[in-house]
């Protein structure tokens, strides 16, 4: 508990008050510390302030009425415990005063709060009740039957008069007398407007205090007209109405109980006078239980809040204002101050809480998305792992470009073999390195004893080759012949087959399958390959060190594949399928890079079972959305994953870097633009995943093969997976999600319908109800409920907000379509600020024009309905294996719970019939009132701002009755003990009591009057249920999808798609604000309006590219070796950016640039010019122009077989190991001399191939290629020829000067441009052929 508390001290006589912090007093024996939640203000409080009444010294503490929650109990306290809601009489020494945060009082001064009234109403009860009890029980000796331990004998008067019955003490006295004297005549005086209320409390009859025949009228109402026996004067009327003593019965006891007011006057000598001090009741027999008895009376409905309660504010600072009102004389009102409810459905709490929740979650999401968790300070967090060593390996590997068709690629391969040799020598006593060559396997041992059970084997695969093809549906494809240079390392598992089974080509391994971990060591022609895929390579090197460390041998063997040729059609992975070790593995982990740096994300997995092993990663990151994007073709690029999955039937995972895309496949994919943190992010995920996969020795990944040639890995379950803030990873089976979706579709609406039916049965269905039929003796009418108000509001405002952001998407796409490329968060800021402001503006406007307490309920209901409709489509997609809609399931479930709470809230409302009775003035104990019209013609429940002077009880024509605030001398300067009155009629309904002020105070603004009983805190539960799901799950998807797509514009993707995606995700993320937006203050929306204005201007006018977000342009140079025509070209998103780059090149000056749609990237524009001559093939003398040697770059000999649609090509290219043959019409088949035959691969797709790509592991290798083509319809075999080109590729640009045109582009291009390669080669030299 806090060491200090806040006190509201009166600093001096007359004020002012000061809010000060003081040490918390000690709770002593039999004392209770109460955290004050509501304070009742009394006239004695302001009298102490202004007159110094009973004040010993200044500063002073006041406050005698209060209620709150037990904070602490002292020794000996048995009636209360911490957390109990209590009320009582406060005051005495400063620590017991109510005007402070925590008051400490004796337990006898407290009682537990009644269950059926509010804390505010409870705080108005104690002083008036104990004062009335002191008069009746303590002074007049009338026994109280409800008081345990109280006196049972005493006075039993037959008639009692209560003066000032409309005061709090008077109204309390009437109720106590009614309980104590069930057959006595209880009379009272007040203004006429209070008579109905007082008789409902138990008065036999009420009289107009200003009547000239008052005394006669009172005596006439007593038994036999003798007069009353006792008088209780609650307001000091005896000093102003001296004739009132004439109402005494001549032969009665003539006892007069006068509440002390400070007024001085004499009473007749025959009258026995009692001065009443409220606290004296505690000294009477049973008096210690007087407040406990009150709690029971209220709970049983036998005692009501005597007068209406007026709320004057929240917080201690509101006390001064309330006392000023009290001093001024507010008739018939108990002034109340309450503690501010920090979670009430009011503008300030709603604004603060919603802003905090959104800010907290969005900041957490952004930090997760943008910041890579740091690498550990300890360089060796696992056995064998050394992060610094891995970083140095990465720097070495990415020191230059090393595509497959480059000399440096060979150097990288040699370096890898040396590193593997070093690692295994240092870790193992023995291992074997096997060089696979044609027809032979040579062995190298590093131990004096050759062991067939060596723990590690290196396979340098120089044998495998593969012929395959690919195509798009309905179109001719591309065929590939590839000779692999993969490096494969096998770490034998403790439960593996211990023989050298791979030496027998027909043998299959025994036991459970192993685990493949894969990365490719080739780069693209211009990129250095640090993250694509250098980090993957060095991570595998570290994994090998880990699994060869002492005590870390895996149970299932590890196959580490360093494949070469991934960048050109995944050739290295396809070559691996020809190696014996491909038959051994059942699961795999593919490490890849589709971006340059940042976090490594889980791209995709084959099933839920294998995904769970990634779940243990320290920094899991990813969502199933990316898997579905690959599966449905929305992500155009591919990784080796597809070979392992589709060809070998393995089950595994694809982990890759995904951004930023502007550095991907450029010269910024280097060590400088990544970090140790990114390296550790991938490596740590790989270690955890591999630990799990190699440790699973069950049958999870064992089973039948699904097709010939695929490994027997069994079947997995489609999975759903996503991370939470990069720390927690959720995995579940898709069939589980499907079951949840179907259940939600059926159960959720049925639940709401059933609850609505129950609400209708118990007469509490305010929703969808415009009025309530009401029957009374004067006829029937309808009480307005306005339950339909706001039903269509939210969908209309929602559509306006969506239309706003979609309109911004089209506007930005029209005026500055590529701004998102460099400024995605500016676009996000523009969208979200616009959406929130539009939603707020129209919500507040609608609430101002037609306020409704059901805005939140209907908005949540519409949210659920919208989610339910979308969920139908999501469920259908789940049935066909699409899991990306998982967030809709949780979104809809959260919306359902929010709507459910909105329905359940209605059970807290009064019955429709009870509400109609209350409004119409038909309370059970009330006297029938005069009806002046139906409820529809008179607004009785106006809020304070709406009330007329008459409805507030301040009519100038109606002089106030004497009450405790009325000056006894009529001078207006000396009010007395309290400030109370009964309700006043509204308008022309003179005798009809409206709802009490406590209820009115709970009605927000001009909303429906019945809403006073709606809980003010449930909105927070609804918001907490709905908003985190929307922010976290949807926000994560929004950020990931934006990061994955916003820089693909350089590849030709549509900018509008990105903007529409941002608009949709903005809507989904901020939709939970809609139900509460009408309660948000203007501060945040106006700020967001300013943000919107600034970001809109920026997004429409700013240049879309920068040095950190460079526009990728794709280079290629084509040389016609027959004619010598040489064209360099750049492909990109077109004018004006492409034009600016090309026309800025010195060699282009005076040339005509030719632009057309790119054949390689059809979404881009390709512009060509006469380029500088390339020098990719060495010439005999440096002075000889390179173009003179073009004819020698390629040697081609084509022979057609007589009478057949077949031909044989003999070709080779100088200084290259990559060529291709293109045809103007599809061929039906091809073979390459020495090629392996594998039925798992089609050499030519169904619609034929128009291109054959040839990749050799050796330089300047001659190829012999046989082709066959089908005859056209109506033609015979041998009647048609074939034409095309033989093209060879050159990629080795690492030595500047070999490709001057590329050097020129890179030198003179603006800093906002990055150059990438358009095709497999940077330079293509071609020779035509005709058959």
């Amino acid at each position: 508990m806090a060491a200090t508390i806040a006190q509201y001290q009166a600093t001096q006589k007359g004020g002012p008050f000061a809010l000060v912090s003081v040490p918390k007093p000690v709770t002593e024996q039999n004392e209770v510390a109460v955290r004050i939640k509501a304070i009742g203000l009394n006239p004695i409080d302001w009298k102490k302030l202004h007159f110094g009444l009973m004040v010993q010294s200044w500063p002073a503490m006041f406050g005698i009425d209060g209620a709150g929650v037990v904070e602490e109990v002292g020794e000996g306290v048995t009636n209360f415990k911490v957390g109990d809601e209590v009320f009582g009489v406060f005051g005495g020494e400063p620590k017991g005063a109510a005007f402070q945060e925590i008051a400490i009082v004796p337990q006898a001064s407290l009682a537990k709060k009644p269950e059926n009234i509010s804390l505010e109403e409870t705080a108005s009860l104690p002083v008036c009740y104990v004062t009335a009890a002191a008069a009746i029980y303590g002074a007049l000796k009338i026994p109280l039957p409800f008081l345990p331990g109280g006196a049972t004998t005493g006075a039993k008067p037959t008639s009692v008069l209560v003066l000032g019955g409309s005061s709090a003490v008077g109204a309390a006295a009437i109720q106590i007398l009614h309980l104590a004297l069930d057959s006595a005549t209880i009379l009272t005086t007040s203004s006429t407007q209070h008579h109905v209320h007082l008789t409902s409390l138990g008065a036999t009859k009420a009289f107009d205090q200003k009547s000239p025949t008052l005394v006669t009228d009172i005596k006439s109402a007593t038994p036999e007209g003798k007069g009353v026996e006792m008088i209780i004067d609650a307001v000091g009327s005896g000093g102003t109405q001296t004739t009132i003593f004439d109402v005494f019965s001549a032969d009665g006891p003539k006892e007069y109980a006068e509440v002390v007011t400070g007024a001085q006057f004499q009473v007749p000598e025959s009258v026995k006078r009692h001065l009443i001090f409220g606290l004296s009741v505690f000294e009477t027999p049973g008096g210690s239980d007087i407040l406990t008895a009150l709690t029971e009376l209220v709970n049983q409905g036998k005692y009501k809040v005597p007068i209406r309660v007026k709320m004057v504010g929240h917080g201690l600072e509101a006390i001064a204002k309330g006392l000023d009102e009290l001093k001024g004389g507010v008739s018939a009102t108990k002034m109340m101050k309450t503690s501010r409810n920090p979670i009430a459905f009011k503008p300030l709490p709603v604004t603060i809480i919603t802003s905090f929740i959104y800010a907290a979650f969005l900041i957490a999401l952004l930090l997760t998305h943008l910041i890579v968790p740091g690498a550990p300070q300890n360089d060796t967090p696992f056995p064998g792992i050394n992060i610094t060593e891995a970083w140095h390996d990465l720097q070495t590997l990415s020191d230059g470009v090393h595509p497959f068709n480059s000399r440096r690629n060979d150097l990288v391969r040699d370096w890898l073999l040396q590193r593997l040799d070093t690692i295994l020598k240092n870790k193992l006593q023995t291992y074997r390195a096997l060089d696979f060559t044609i027809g032979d396997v040579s062995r190298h041992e590093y131990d004096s004893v050759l062991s067939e059970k060596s723990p590690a084997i290196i396979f340098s695969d120089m044998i495998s080759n593969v012929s395959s093809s690919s195509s798009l549906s309905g179109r001719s494809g591309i065929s590939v012949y590839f000779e692999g240079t993969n490096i494969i390392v096998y770490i034998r598992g403790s439960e593996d087959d211990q023989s050298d089974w791979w030496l027998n080509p027909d043998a299959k391994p025994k036991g459970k399958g192993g685990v493949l971990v894969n990365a490719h060591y080739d780069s693209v022609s211009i990129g250095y390959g640090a993250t694509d895929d250098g980090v993957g390579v060095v991570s595998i090197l570290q994994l090998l060190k880990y699994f060869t460390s002492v005590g870390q041998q895996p149970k299932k063997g590890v196959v580490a594949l360093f494949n070469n040729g991934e960048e050109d059609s995944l050739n290295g992975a396809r070559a691996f399928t020809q190696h014996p070790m491909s038959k051994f593995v059942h699961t795999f982990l593919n490490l890849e890079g589709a971006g340059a740096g940042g976090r490594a994300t889980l791209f995709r997995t084959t099933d839920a079972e294998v995904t769970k092993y990634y779940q243990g990663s320290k920094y899991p990151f990813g969502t199933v959305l990316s898997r579905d994007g690959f599966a449905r073709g929305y992500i155009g690029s591919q990784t080796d994953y597809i070979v392992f999955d589709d060809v070998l039937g393995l089950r595994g995972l694809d982990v890759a870097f995904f951004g930023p895309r502007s550095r991907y496949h450029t010269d910024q994919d280097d060590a400088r633009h990544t970090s140790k943190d990114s390296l550790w992010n991938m490596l740590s995920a790989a270690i955890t995943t591999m630990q799990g996969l190699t440790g699973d020795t069950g049958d999870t990944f064992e089973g039948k093969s699904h097709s010939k040639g695929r490994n027997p890995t069994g079947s997995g379950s489609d999975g759903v997976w996503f991370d939470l803030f990069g720390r927690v990873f959720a995995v579940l089976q898709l069939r589980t999600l499907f079951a949840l979706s179907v259940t939600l579709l059926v159960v959720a609406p049925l639940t709401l319908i059933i609850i609505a039916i129950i609400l209708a049965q118990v007469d509490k269905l305010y929703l969808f109800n415009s009025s309530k039929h009401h029957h009374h003796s004067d006829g029937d009418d309808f009480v307005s409920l306005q339950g339909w108000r706001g039903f269509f509001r939210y969908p209309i405002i929602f559509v306006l907000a969506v239309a706003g952001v979609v309109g911004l998407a089209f506007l930005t796409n029209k005026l500055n379509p590529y701004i998102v490329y460099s400024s995605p968060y500016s676009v996000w800021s523009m969208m979200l600020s616009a959406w929130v402001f539009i939603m707020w503006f129209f919500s507040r406007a609608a609430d101002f024009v037609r306020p409704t307490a059901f805005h939140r309920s209907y908005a949540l209901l519409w949210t659920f309905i919208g989610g339910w409709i979308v969920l139908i489509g999501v469920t259908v997609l789940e049935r066909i294996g699409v899991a990306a809609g998982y967030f809709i399931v949780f979104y809809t479930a959260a919306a359902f719970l929010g709507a459910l709470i909105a329905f359940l809230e209605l059970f807290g409302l009064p019955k429709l019939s009870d509400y109609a009775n209350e409004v119409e003035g038909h309370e059970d104990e009330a006297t029938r009132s005069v009806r002046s019209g139906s409820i529809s013609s008179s607004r009785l429940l106006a809020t304070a701002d709406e009330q007329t002077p008459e409805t507030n009880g301040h009519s100038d024509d109606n002089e106030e009755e004497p009450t405790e605030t009325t000056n006894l001398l009529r001078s207006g300067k000396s009010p007395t003990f309290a400030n109370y009155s009964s309700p006043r009629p509204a308008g022309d309904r003179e005798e009809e009591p409206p709802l009490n002020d406590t209820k009115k105070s709970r009605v927000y603004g001009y909303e429906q009057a019945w809403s006073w009983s709606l809980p003010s805190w449930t909105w927070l539960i609804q918001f907490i249920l709905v908003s985190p799901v929307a922010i976290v799950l949807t926000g994560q998807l929004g950020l990931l999808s934006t990061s994955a797509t916003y820089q693909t514009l350089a590849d030709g993707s549509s900018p509008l798609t990105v903007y529409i995606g941002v608009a949709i995700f903005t809507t989904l993320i901020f939709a939970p604000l809609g139900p509460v937006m009408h309660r948000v203050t203007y501060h945040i929306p106006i700020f967001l309006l300013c943000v919107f204005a600034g970001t809109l201007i920026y997004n429409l006018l700013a240049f879309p590219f920068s040095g950190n977000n460079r526009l990728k342009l794709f280079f290629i140079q084509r040389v016609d070796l027959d004619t010598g025509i040489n064209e360099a070209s750049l492909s990109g998103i077109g004018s004006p950016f492409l034009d600016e780059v090309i026309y800025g090149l010195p060699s282009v000056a005076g040339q005509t640039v030719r632009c057309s749609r790119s054949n390689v990237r059809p979404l881009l524009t390709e512009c060509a010019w006469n380029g500088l001559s390339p020098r990719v093939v060495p010439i005999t003398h440096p002075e000889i122009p390179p173009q003179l040697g073009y004819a020698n770059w390629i040697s081609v000999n084509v022979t057609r077989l007589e009478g057949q649609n077949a031909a044989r090509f003999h070709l080779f290219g100088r200084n290259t190991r990559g060529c291709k043959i293109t045809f103007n019409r599809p061929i039906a088949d091809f073979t390459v001399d020495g090629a392996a035959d594998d039925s798992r691969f089609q050499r030519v797709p169904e619609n034929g191939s128009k291109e054959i790509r040839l990749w050799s592991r050796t330089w300047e290798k001659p190829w012999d290629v046989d082709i066959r083509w089908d005859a056209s319809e109506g033609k015979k075999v041998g009647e048609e020829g074939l034409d095309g080109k033989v093209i060879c590729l050159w990629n080795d640009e690492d030595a500047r000067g070999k490709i001057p045109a590329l050097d020129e582009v890179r030198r003179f291009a603006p800093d906002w441009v990055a150059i990438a390669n358009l095709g497999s080669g940077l330079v293509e030299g071609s020779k035509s052929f005709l058959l």
Side-chain angles (χ1 to χ4, degrees), residues 201-386:
L201 295 180
T204 307
K205 191 170 184 179
F207 299 91
D208 183 357
Q209 62 185 10
K210 293 177 288 186
S211 171
T213 60
L214 178 62
V215 173
T216 303
D217 294 340
I218 292 175
K219 294 190 72 171
S220 299
T222 60
E224 301 179 8
K226 292 183 177 181
V228 300
E229 299 175 32
M230 298 178 178
I231 295 178
I232 299 174
D233 189 349
V235 293
S237 294
T240 57
Q241 295 177 296
T242 55
T243 58
I244 199 66
F245 297 105
D246 295 337
V247 302
F248 273 126
S249 171
D251 55 358
K254 296 183 181 180
E255 294 199 55
Y256 173 67
E258 174 197 351
V259 175
V260 174
T261 63
Q264 303 294 324
F265 59 91
Q266 298 295 318
V267 302
E269 292 183 1
S270 60
V271 174
K272 184 178 181 180
R273 185 178 193 176
H274 304 276
L275 293 178
I276 307 303
F277 295 91
L279 297 181
S280 63
V281 74
F282 290 103
E283 307 301 325
T284 61
S288 60
D289 292 323
I290 193 70
L291 289 176
T292 302
L294 174 59
T295 299
E296 292 301 317
L297 292 175
V298 176
N299 284 336
Q300 296 168 12
K302 296 179 179 179
Y303 188 93
K304 300 178 181 178
V305 178
I307 46 83
R308 70 181 177 185
V309 178
K310 179 176 182 179
M311 311 303 298
V312 297
H314 301 279
L316 293 171
E317 298 92 333
I319 290 175
K321 173 188 174 184
L323 291 180
D324 287 342
E325 285 192 44
L326 195 60
K327 180 184 176 185
V330 182
S331 175
T333 305
K334 175 72 171 181
M335 308 299 293
M336 292 296 302
K337 168 267 162 194
T338 66
S339 299
R340 185 181 299 277
N341 183 354
I343 61 171
F345 193 46
K346 299 291 182 66
L348 186 59
V350 170
T351 303
I352 292 174
I353 292 173
T354 55
S355 300
F356 174 80
I357 289 176
Y358 264 86
F361 280 117
L362 289 176
I363 289 172
L365 277 178
L366 285 171
L367 292 177
T368 302
H369 193 76
L370 296 175
I371 298 179
V372 182
Q377 295 297 318
N378 178 14
D379 253 2
T380 57
F382 291 91
I385 300 297
N386 189 306

Side-chain angles (χ1 to χ4, degrees), residues 1240-1259:
R1240 294 174 297 182
F1241 296 100
Q1242 282 186 308
R1243 291 193 297 268
V1244 175
E1246 183 178 351
N1247 293 306
S1249 288
K1250 297 183 73 173
E1251 181 177 324
I1252 302 172
R1253 296 179 181 177
L1254 304 168
W1255 299 100
S1256 170
R1257 64 176 60 91
T1258 58
W1259 293 92

Side-chain angles (χ1 to χ4, degrees), residues 1152-1175:
T1152 299
V1153 177
R1154 303 166 293 280
C1155 296
S1156 61
R1157 184 178 297 276
S1158 172
N1159 292 326
V1160 179
R1161 293 178 177 265
L1163 299 176
L1164 299 179
T1165 299
E1166 182 173 353
C1167 292
W1169 66 95
N1170 296 332
L1172 301 175
S1173 298
R1175 300 177 180 269

Side-chain angles (χ1 to χ4, degrees), residues 879-1204:
R879 190 64 176 170
I880 61 174
V882 178
Y886 68 90
F887 70 100
I888 295 294
V889 181
F890 297 106
Y891 204 122
T892 306
F896 161 66
L897 293 176
L900 177 63
I901 292 173
F903 274 65
L904 294 177
E905 282 182 327
L906 301 183
F907 285 103
L909 293 174
K911 291 183 178 181
L912 295 173
S913 56
D914 291 344
Y915 170 70
N917 287 336
E918 187 174 9
V919 170
E920 291 294 310
H922 288 272
E923 297 182 357
D924 291 341
E925 299 180 13
T927 305
R928 180 184 170 198
S929 63
V930 179
R931 177 171 297 276
S932 60
S934 71
I935 188 69
S936 60
S937 65
S938 176
R939 184 168 187 174
L940 304 181
L941 301 173
T943 62
D945 293 337
E946 295 176 293
Q947 291 174 330
T948 63
E950 289 76 11
T951 63
N952 274 309
H954 294 292
S955 172
D956 294 335
D957 298 331
N958 186 14
E959 182 183 1
E960 288 291 340
E961 63 176 294
T963 70
E964 290 129 332
T965 61
T966 304
N967 183 278
L968 300 183
L969 302 176
R970 299 295 183 183
S971 67
K973 293 184 179 180
S974 182
T976 55
F977 187 71
N979 187 14
Y980 307 120
S981 76
S982 60
R984 289 184 176 272
D988 59 352
R989 305 172 65 84
E990 295 179 359
E991 298 294 333
E992 187 173 65
L995 299 177
N996 67 51
D997 243 21
T998 300
K999 296 179 180 179
K1000 287 185 179 181
S1001 70
R1002 295 184 185 177
V1003 176
Y1004 182 82
Y1006 295 87
E1007 292 177 354
Q1008 297 93 329
W1010 43 257
S1011 64
W1012 71 269
S1013 61
L1014 285 173
S1016 62
W1017 49 268
T1018 50
W1019 76 273
L1020 184 56
I1021 297 177
Q1022 293 168 320
F1023 189 74
I1024 290 176
L1025 283 171
V1026 179
S1027 59
V1029 173
I1031 302 171
V1032 177
L1033 297 186
T1034 311
Q1036 175 199 49
L1037 290 174
L1039 290 173
L1040 281 173
S1041 62
T1042 302
S1043 296
T1045 59
Y1046 78 104
Q1047 289 185 333
T1048 62
L1049 307 186
D1051 301 318
S1053 300
S1054 169
L1056 182 60
T1057 302
V1058 179
Y1059 294 126
I1060 293 295
V1062 173
I1064 291 173
F1065 280 112
T1066 295
T1067 299
L1068 292 173
I1069 293 169
F1070 288 92
L1073 278 176
V1076 301
M1077 191 59 82
H1078 63 301
R1079 285 286 203 275
V1080 173
T1081 65
Y1082 67 88
H1083 304 85
I1084 300 296
I1086 294 302
F1087 169 75
L1088 291 177
L1089 179 62
C1090 296
V1091 171
F1092 166 71
T1095 52
L1096 176 65
I1097 293 171
Y1098 174 84
N1099 291 335
L1100 296 183
L1101 299 179
F1103 189 72
F1105 310 108
S1106 67
N1108 288 325
N1109 298 277
R1110 301 183 301 169
L1111 171 64
K1112 275 196 286 191
L1113 299 179
F1114 301 92
F1115 174 87
I1116 194 169
Q1117 188 167 14
R1118 299 182 179 94
V1119 180
D1120 189 327
L1121 303 179
D1122 295 320
T1123 64
I1125 296 175
N1126 162 27
E1127 283 190 343
S1129 74
L1130 285 176
S1131 297
I1133 54 178
S1135 182
F1137 312 110
L1138 191 58
D1139 295 344
E1140 181 177 343
V1141 175
I1142 293 175
Y1143 285 107
L1145 302 178
S1147 68
V1148 177
Q1151 291 195 43
T1152 299
V1153 177
R1154 303 166 293 280
C1155 296
S1156 61
R1157 184 178 297 276
S1158 172
N1159 292 326
V1160 179
R1161 293 178 177 265
L1163 299 176
L1164 299 179
T1165 299
E1166 182 173 353
C1167 292
W1169 66 95
N1170 296 332
L1172 301 175
S1173 298
R1175 300 177 180 269
V1176 293
V1177 175
I1179 54 179
T1180 56
H1181 195 281
E1183 299 298 326
I1184 299 176
Q1187 55 268 32
L1188 296 181
Y1190 284 169
N1192 297 323
W1193 285 16
I1194 300 176
S1195 174
V1196 181
N1197 184 18
V1198 185
T1199 304
R1200 179 170 180 172
L1201 302 183
E1202 185 69 26
Q1204 301 180 39

